Amino acid sequence: MTPPLLQLSDIHKSFGAIKALRGAQLELRAGEIHALMGENGAGKSTLMNIIDGILQPSSGEIRIDGQRVQIDGPATAQRLGIGLVHQEIALCADISVAENIFMARTAQTKRPLMDSADLVARARAVLAPLAEIDPRLPAGRLSISQQQLVEIAKALTLDCRILILDEPTAALTELEAQKLFTILRGLAARGIGIIYISHRMAEIFANCDRVTVMRDGQHIRTDEVADLTPSDVVNAMVGRKLDTLYPPKMNGERGAEILRVQGLTDRRYQDVSFTLHKGEILGIGGLIGAGRSEIARGVTRLEGAAKGRVWLNGQEVVLRDYADCIARGIVYLSEDRKGDGIFLDMPIAANVSALNLRQVAGRFGVIDSGAETAQAQSIGETLRLKAGSMGHRVASLSGGNQQKVALAKLLAVKPRVIFLDEPTRGVDVGAKAEIHAILRGLAESGVGIAVISSEMPELIGLCDRVMVVSEGRLTGELSGPDITEAKIMTLAAPGALAASRNQN
Amino acid sequence: METQRQTFLSRLFGARETGLVLIILALFLIMTFASPHFLTWTNMRAMTMAFSVEAIVVVGMTILLISGGIDLSVGSVTALAMVVAGLLFLNGMDPWLASLIAILVCAGVGAIMGFFVTYVGLHHFIVSLAAMVIARGLCLLGTGGRPLGLFELPENFKWIGIGSIGVIPVAIIIFVLFVAVFDFLLRRTTAFRLVYYTGSNEKAAAYSGIRTKRVIFLTTVLCSTLCGVAGIIYMARFGSAQPTFGVGMELNVIAAAVIGGASLSGGKGTILGAILGAILLSLVSSSLALLNVSVYWQDIIRGSILLAAVTFDHYLVKRQAMGGRA
């Protein structure tokens, strides 16, 4: 029997007193797509960094084709045929997409001059099956999803036998993710072993061959995907039984209208009208770039200069800037948590108080640090935030807990309307379910909730009503049993508006 | 109870200020034994006087660094305050009124820089580099390049530069007041917390409803205004206005703030830390002078201290990031 392509056994890794890995193992066969799952903090990324030579294991054994190897750095990993697509996007914003894709090769080449025409042509060939991206554009001009696709393209150009993708679809739409899997299937058919990390259950079950589940730095189980159900995987990940992934939907009639937006128009979207109601969660679906985030940022005055009318609790309001929105209780949770959602280097308490410092300040604007800590503590408790102390920097938390801090920051001003842009991106299953339950609770307590999501199951599982945006226009609204993947995709597809008009 | 004490102790020892105090104390001890002239009232007084005025500029620079900005023009703007006040005084104006106008002129320079940074969208570095050269040019133009002798300055005005209350020089009292007030403001007030938010992540601050342009504009104005205040105290001390004063001051001031924990990428730093940084640099200079080390060596040693502090910081942050992410 041929030995597995890659075998890691009994890997341990400690950072000081913290044991990140305690007996992790993984076996990757040539030609398979192997899903690696686990909650944030389970040690997946640490294990991948060990395979890529960025970190050295404290103990344990790595074998490639049955030969014991020592991977002392990313250069060695590359020589051994290992390619890793990191979770974080790391492109040079000012240089072209083509130069980004071939950065590694440029570093190694002996040729003194760059041949940009050749680079562009080759970049176009790599990108073509993934997406329509002009390789001459500077990478910084692309949307997050396009940047993610460029990161993937970058790894595809490396001549590797072992390809690791760490949450590559976190920023992608379903359609883009499907294209990616078509490519991965092709690579696997050529004998490449692929390790695939993701929190998206559906795509794992549709596309992967085997799955390994990790928890607390340990190996829990490895099985053929065909022999498992999603709830088996979730139970193995969290170590306890989660009955349902999503909270129950609204029962009965929706309550009074909280927010009404009419005729919202700006450069990126036209004539958008919708309402939010008590007890109801509104989903906003559509492809990335369709204008969903822009609409939410237009209402909240964070971006652009949208024209249109807004009513809050039946009264028309004029919103001049975001500070004005916060004062009226209309807030926005950013899709880019690290970029503009939180202050990574600052304490948790200072993050939570950021929207309205006056709440924790006494006379003359002197901050009462006791009140600030208490505020963070009490909101943190309702969100089940896991943190040692409210004085710790947010950077020290896991992704799920960082997201809870971002949410706590908004809840601190007791908002009446919250727009949440990808509220569970990069968040593990356990924290995800908790965030969904919190949103349901807020809706029931009378806060208007609108959720923008690229994750189909989230829209379908969480929302009571979904409005779909395509090319800057509302193409339809679905509610109850009508919220299905097929119907959302039909409305989201470019040209959906014209199609629906032709039918009428 | 136990855990509380632990966090207090670990916070105390974790704090950068503690480390600086220890280093300063160690240097103090060494110098006391190394030189008989060190631990004398005259030397202590001279040493404190030497950095007390510059420390006011350090305060302004630290706040600006926290907001994510930087100001290379501090030396020229300090000189500009002297020259403007000196010229007005020589033309018969009351020195106090002349000083007030000079400080307002400095604030105006800050406002112009702030305008270019926030509303035009240029980088602080370039804008303040231009301001540095222009302000120096104005100083030289106004004085013909020669110092203005201000022998007629009334005693009550010179008092802020050379007088004392009891045995303590007024300049030192002013310095302590500025440091105490601004340290408190920065640690505790909402207005200055906005400076930290803006410097830590400008976009996240904007997404928290903070008017970040206004914050950056005002910190730029504040830094220049404090340069004006420093310039007036220098003028009262020297009894003259020197158009070439403060060349290279910006490097000293930035170094002090960075040694004290400020970061050029913003969001970090305290007034206390920056002042300790200034004390350390000043202590090293005067120690080297007392030990008869060549002036040329002093710059080399100060530069090395700066490099060591930043390197140390870099590893500290890296270690925290590794340990904290489990």
Side-chain angles (χ1 to χ4, degrees):
Chain A
M1 198 184 130
T2 51
L5 179 57
L6 172 73
Q7 181 146 38
L8 295 124
S9 15
D10 201 27
I11 304 283
H12 289 254
K13 175 72 189 173
S14 338
F15 298 104
I18 297 151
K19 293 192 172 72
L21 294 178
R22 306 179 294 168
Q25 53 183 17
L26 183 70
E27 183 204 81
L28 177 71
R29 296 174 192 153
E32 73 165 342
I33 303 182
H34 192 123
L36 179 61
M37 302 197 72
E39 297 196 63
N40 284 342
K44 300 173 309 241
S45 294
T46 308
L47 192 62
M48 293 310 106
N49 282 332
I50 285 175
I51 299 177
D52 201 40
I54 296 167
L55 296 173
Q56 299 304 311
S58 309
S59 68
E61 192 177 85
I62 306 174
R63 285 175 187 275
I64 290 180
D65 295 328
Q67 296 286 315
R68 188 155 181 189
V69 292
Q70 182 136 26
I71 307 171
D72 51 17
T76 311
Q78 226 176 68
R79 211 163 41 242
L80 290 166
I82 298 167
L84 170 62
V85 179
H86 286 276
Q87 198 176 348
E88 318 275 328
I89 293 167
L91 296 174
C92 301
D94 296 321
I95 73 170
S96 75
V97 168
E99 285 165 313
N100 265 292
I101 291 177
F102 292 103
M103 207 182 299
R105 195 163 294 179
T106 306
Q108 285 162 2
T109 185
K110 301 228 158 49
R111 301 227 312 266
L113 297 177
M114 302 275 294
D115 181 354
S116 36
D118 176 52
L119 272 193
V120 168
R122 279 192 295 161
R124 195 164 274 145
V126 178
L127 283 169
L130 278 170
E132 253 179 63
I133 298 172
D134 184 350
R136 289 166 303 184
L137 283 180
R141 291 260 300 277
L142 305 181
S143 69
I144 293 186
S145 79
Q146 290 175 320
Q147 292 185 10
Q148 181 92 60
L149 290 168
V150 171
E151 279 287 1
I152 294 165
K154 214 166 120 182
L156 296 180
T157 64
L158 299 173
D159 209 9
C160 56
R161 303 173 57 210
I162 299 167
L163 179 63
I164 306 168
L165 298 138
D166 195 351
E167 285 198 53
T169 54
L172 301 187
T173 60
E174 303 270 329
L175 205 71
E176 291 165 322
Q178 279 165 18
K179 285 187 188 167
L180 171 65
F181 273 109
T182 313
I183 294 169
L184 295 184
R185 278 265 144 250
L187 292 176
R190 278 164 39 199
I192 293 172
I194 298 168
I195 301 175
Y196 189 84
I197 300 180
S198 172
H199 288 304
R200 290 190 182 180
M201 208 60 78
E203 62 184 30
I204 302 249
F205 277 83
N207 299 294
C208 296
D209 302 305
R210 291 196 301 159
V211 56
T212 290
V213 178
M214 289 179 72
R215 185 173 75 233
D216 299 330
Q218 283 169 311
H219 176 259
I220 302 297
R221 64 188 298 177
T222 299
D223 291 285
E224 299 282 334
V225 168
D227 299 340
L228 293 173
T229 66
S231 65
D232 291 337
V233 175
V234 172
N235 290 341
M237 279 165 65
V238 296
R240 62 192 144 88
K241 254 187 124 74
L242 276 183
D243 297 332
T244 44
L245 284 174
Y246 292 97
K249 295 213 180 181
M250 169 178 71
N251 74 55
E253 287 292 296
R254 65 188 188 187
E257 175 187 296
I258 301 169
L259 184 80
R260 166 182 292 273
V261 173
Q262 212 168 58
L264 196 74
T265 300
D266 198 359
R267 216 166 37 83
R268 296 284 304 275
Y269 46 86
Q270 289 81 40
D271 197 22
V272 174
S273 303
F274 60 93
T275 56
L276 296 180
H277 292 261
K278 183 175 178 188
E280 183 195 50
I281 295 182
L282 172 71
I284 305 179
L287 302 178
I288 286 178
R292 300 167 307 166
S293 306
E294 286 80 1
I295 291 170
R297 291 202 283 258
V299 177
T300 50
R301 297 282 153 192
L302 278 161
E303 193 180 285
K307 287 194 219 20
R309 299 169 72 186
V310 177
W311 286 262
L312 185 62
N313 294 326
Q315 284 212 308
E316 185 160 9
V317 290
V318 178
L319 304 165
R320 280 181 303 273
D321 56 13
Y322 188 48
D324 223 21
C325 290
I326 293 174
R328 295 188 187 273
I330 304 174
V331 296
Y332 169 78
L333 180 80
S334 164
E335 62 178 323
D336 185 3
R337 180 168 63 233
K338 286 183 181 164
D340 45 45
I342 45 178
F343 305 98
L344 274 174
D345 282 334
M346 294 184 70
I348 296 167
N351 268 275
V352 175
S353 62
L355 258 55
N356 189 354
L357 280 168
R358 259 168 300 173
Q359 286 180 336
V360 295
R363 275 196 297 171
F364 311 117
V366 176
I367 295 172
D368 177 349
S369 57
E372 191 174 43
T373 306
Q375 181 193 50
Q377 211 125 37
S378 94
I379 300 172
E381 251 162 52
T382 62
L383 299 184
R384 291 208 255 161
L385 174 71
K386 288 186 207 83
S389 141
M390 294 301 129
H392 285 173
R393 297 186 319 144
V394 178
S396 69
L397 302 177
S398 68
N401 282 310
Q402 288 182 0
Q403 188 69 344
K404 286 182 183 176
V405 171
L407 193 55
K409 192 173 143 209
L410 304 184
L411 296 184
V413 296
K414 301 186 181 64
R416 293 199 272 189
V417 173
I418 312 180
F419 288 90
L420 300 111
D421 203 347
E422 308 287 355
T424 60
R425 172 180 288 170
V427 167
D428 60 74
V429 177
K432 202 167 183 168
E434 283 174 7
I435 289 174
H436 288 148
I438 291 159
L439 295 183
R440 179 51 71 188
L442 285 169
E444 278 164 5
S445 72
V447 180
I449 304 281
V451 175
I452 298 170
S453 179
S454 298
E455 245 182 278
M456 238 12 127
E458 185 165 57
L459 286 178
I460 297 165
L462 178 69
C463 303
D464 304 302
R465 188 157 58 95
V466 173
M467 64 176 205
V468 184
V469 182
S470 174
E471 296 173 299
R473 286 175 184 275
L474 289 189
T475 47
E477 202 177 276
L478 305 163
S479 58
D482 279 343
I483 308 177
T484 63
E485 190 165 341
K487 286 189 175 161
I488 295 174
M489 285 315 295
T490 313
L491 291 171
L497 191 70
S500 73
R501 280 202 182 131
N502 287 343
Q503 275 177 10
N504 288 341
Chain B
M1 208 50 223
E2 190 60 28
T3 56
Q4 223 171 16
R5 194 179 317 144
Q6 261 177 4
T7 54
F8 172 73
L9 276 183
S10 62
R11 265 170 70 181
L12 184 69
F13 286 111
R16 173 180 211 104
E17 285 87 345
T18 317
L20 277 172
V21 167
L22 291 178
I23 293 172
I24 290 169
L25 283 179
L27 249 175
F28 224 84
L29 271 177
I30 295 171
M31 279 310 296
T32 307
F33 288 107
S35 165
H37 306 292
F38 180 75
L39 198 62
T40 58
W41 179 245
T42 340
N43 186 47
M44 287 296 119
R45 196 186 138 114
M47 252 170 50
T48 323
M49 284 294 277
F51 79 87
S52 61
V53 188
E54 196 168 282
I56 295 172
V57 181
V58 172
V59 169
M61 182 70 85
T62 307
I63 296 170
L64 190 55
L65 284 172
I66 294 170
S67 79
I70 194 165
D71 186 353
L72 301 180
S73 73
V74 287
S76 333
V77 172
T78 303
L80 186 66
M82 280 191 217
V83 168
V84 169
L87 283 175
L88 290 174
F89 172 72
L90 289 178
N91 283 296
M93 195 183 273
D94 174 73
W96 297 99
L97 183 61
S99 301
L100 184 67
I101 291 173
I103 291 172
L104 287 176
V105 167
C106 293
V109 173
I112 293 168
M113 288 196 287
F115 169 79
F116 277 101
V117 170
T118 53
Y119 295 98
V120 181
L122 306 181
H123 198 281
H124 255 120
F125 191 93
I126 295 301
V127 171
S128 66
L129 183 66
M132 169 173 113
V133 180
I134 293 172
R136 185 67 69 195
L138 287 174
C139 290
L140 297 170
L141 191 70
T143 59
R146 287 177 303 276
L148 304 174
L150 306 170
F151 313 108
E152 309 295 313
L153 275 175
E155 282 307 313
N156 70 2
F157 185 83
K158 283 199 245 174
W159 178 78
I160 58 171
I162 54 176
S164 20
I165 297 177
V167 289
I168 304 171
V170 176
I172 291 177
I173 293 173
I174 295 175
F175 144 72
V176 171
L177 266 177
F178 266 94
V179 169
V181 167
F182 277 101
D183 190 73
F184 176 81
L185 289 176
L186 231 67
R187 274 179 211 275
R188 296 290 302 278
T189 62
T190 56
F192 282 89
R193 173 67 73 74
L194 301 185
V195 177
Y196 280 98
Y197 286 136
T198 303
S200 176
N201 185 340
E202 191 180 336
K203 208 162 168 211
Y207 275 33
S208 302
I210 295 166
R211 288 160 179 139
T212 51
K213 281 187 177 179
R214 197 162 71 178
V215 172
I216 294 168
F217 180 82
L218 289 176
T219 49
T220 311
V221 172
L222 177 64
C223 181
S224 298
T225 309
L226 291 178
C227 291
V229 172
I232 296 305
I233 301 174
Y234 276 126
M235 182 178 82
R237 182 192 291 176
F238 301 147
S240 68
Q242 301 170 7
T244 54
F245 182 79
V247 174
M249 183 200 262
E250 63 282 351
L251 297 180
N252 227 2
V253 169
I254 293 167
V258 170
I259 289 172
S263 156
L264 291 189
S265 45
K268 278 195 292 190
T270 61
I271 298 296
L272 184 62
I275 295 306
L276 289 171
I279 291 177
L280 179 63
L281 284 178
S282 165
L283 186 61
V284 168
S285 292
S286 44
S287 302
L288 294 172
L290 274 179
L291 297 174
N292 289 324
V293 176
S294 148
V295 183
Y296 306 121
W297 271 108
Q298 294 193 17
D299 284 343
I300 296 170
I301 290 170
R302 282 198 311 205
S304 310
I305 292 176
L306 176 63
L307 208 54
V310 179
T311 309
F312 174 73
D313 210 39
H314 179 72
Y315 280 103
L316 203 70
V317 169
K318 227 162 113 175
R319 218 187 58 191
Q320 277 174 354
M322 295 281 258
R325 236 182 261 268

